Amino acid sequence: MNQIAYIVISILCFVPAIILHECAHGFVASLLGDPTAKNSGRLTLNPVKHIDPFGTVVLPLILALSGMPVFGYAKPVPYNPRHFKNIRAGEALVGLAGPTANLLLALVAALIAWILWPFANGLVMSNVVFAYFYLSFLPLFALVNLYLMFFNLIPVPPLDGASVIALFLPAKALPAYYRVQQYALPGLMILLIGLPYFLHVNPIGIYLNFTAVGLANLLFPFAVA
């Protein structure tokens, strides 16, 4: 697959993955009694409402051009945990909703691959569009969603996995923990981009290769990476 095709397919995989990830956060928050996401117009599949210039455009493009796993982030869906009956449990459920949506999307891609598996060989040989869909789009769509899932499950603020940590912290520690969240993203970017560039060590890449790629290879009827 040439680089242009890879970038186009990556975008087609990445955009719905992050949109549904963010919509899942807002949908679960709404189920728990918080109307913030709905009132702000974020319970929508319109990508314009979710685009973050760096996280949705620049970062994925840099990763795609570098041949690295393609992932990033959209504008976080706003929610107000004060509407939840149990604030910490509500925040954990909202946080886990996004990765769960990505897992379900990856499972759908794998299911389609298995359904088409008996016919795939002949169709791949005779139809170039099907070949791109089956051998490129489906596995990459699953990988992108699994990258997003496992990356967001890292228990570091402001990633989704951090919301689970709050369940186990004493109440007096929560204010300090929430203050840390607003400063954690720059540190995460250093870990994500700075270490591989300057020290040639990529702990996030190793983690994603072990988790996301490993699970994708288990789910699909053929090796995806």
Side-chain angles (χ1 to χ4, degrees), residues 62-175:
I62 291 173
L63 295 174
L65 290 172
S66 303
M68 297 175 65
V70 177
F71 61 94
Y73 55 90
K75 288 191 298 185
V77 167
Y79 70 94
N80 186 348
R82 292 174 181 167
H83 287 104
F84 304 153
K85 292 182 180 179
N86 184 317
I87 291 179
R88 282 195 274 184
E91 287 197 315
L93 289 172
V94 170
L96 292 174
T100 300
N102 292 131
L103 176 60
L104 292 175
L105 290 170
L107 291 175
V108 168
L111 178 61
I112 293 172
W114 276 105
I115 291 173
L116 296 175
W117 178 245
F119 321 102
N121 189 53
L123 289 171
V124 165
M125 297 297 293
S126 62
N127 190 310
V128 66
V129 175
F130 179 84
Y132 270 108
F133 171 75
Y134 193 76
L135 297 178
S136 299
F137 177 81
L138 285 179
L140 190 56
F141 184 74
L143 276 173
V144 166
N145 276 282
L146 292 174
Y147 287 143
L148 286 170
M149 181 186 80
F150 283 108
F151 178 69
N152 277 284
L153 286 176
I154 297 173
V156 175
L159 299 179
D160 298 329
S163 63
V164 180
I165 295 178
L167 285 172
F168 304 99
L169 292 177
K172 62 181 181 181
L174 288 177

Side-chain angles (χ1 to χ4, degrees), residues 25-37:
H25 287 313
F27 178 71
V28 170
S30 180
L31 289 179
L32 294 174
D34 175 33
T36 306

Side-chain angles (χ1 to χ4, degrees), residues 139-218:
L140 190 56
F141 184 74
L143 276 173
V144 166
N145 276 282
L146 292 174
Y147 287 143
L148 286 170
M149 181 186 80
F150 283 108
F151 178 69
N152 277 284
L153 286 176
I154 297 173
V156 175
L159 299 179
D160 298 329
S163 63
V164 180
I165 295 178
L167 285 172
F168 304 99
L169 292 177
K172 62 181 181 181
L174 288 177
Y177 177 69
Y178 291 138
R179 284 195 299 271
V180 169
Q181 289 186 346
Q182 61 185 319
Y183 303 110
L185 185 58
L188 188 62
M189 290 298 101
I190 292 173
L191 183 65
L192 182 64
I193 299 174
L195 284 182
Y197 183 80
F198 292 106
L199 300 180
H200 307 291
V201 177
N202 189 359
I204 300 296
I206 294 171
Y207 161 71
L208 291 177
N209 187 64
F210 180 77
T211 54
V213 177
L215 180 55
N217 282 321
L218 288 176

Side-chain angles (χ1 to χ4, degrees), residues 19-58:
I19 289 174
L20 291 170
H21 177 104
E22 291 301 328
C23 284
H25 287 313
F27 178 71
V28 170
S30 180
L31 289 179
L32 294 174
D34 175 33
T36 306
K38 182 178 180 180
N39 292 342
S40 62
R42 294 297 303 279
L43 294 184
T44 176
L45 298 180
N46 180 359
V48 175
K49 297 287 187 178
H50 302 282
I51 287 176
D52 176 275
F54 179 77
T56 314
V57 181
V58 177

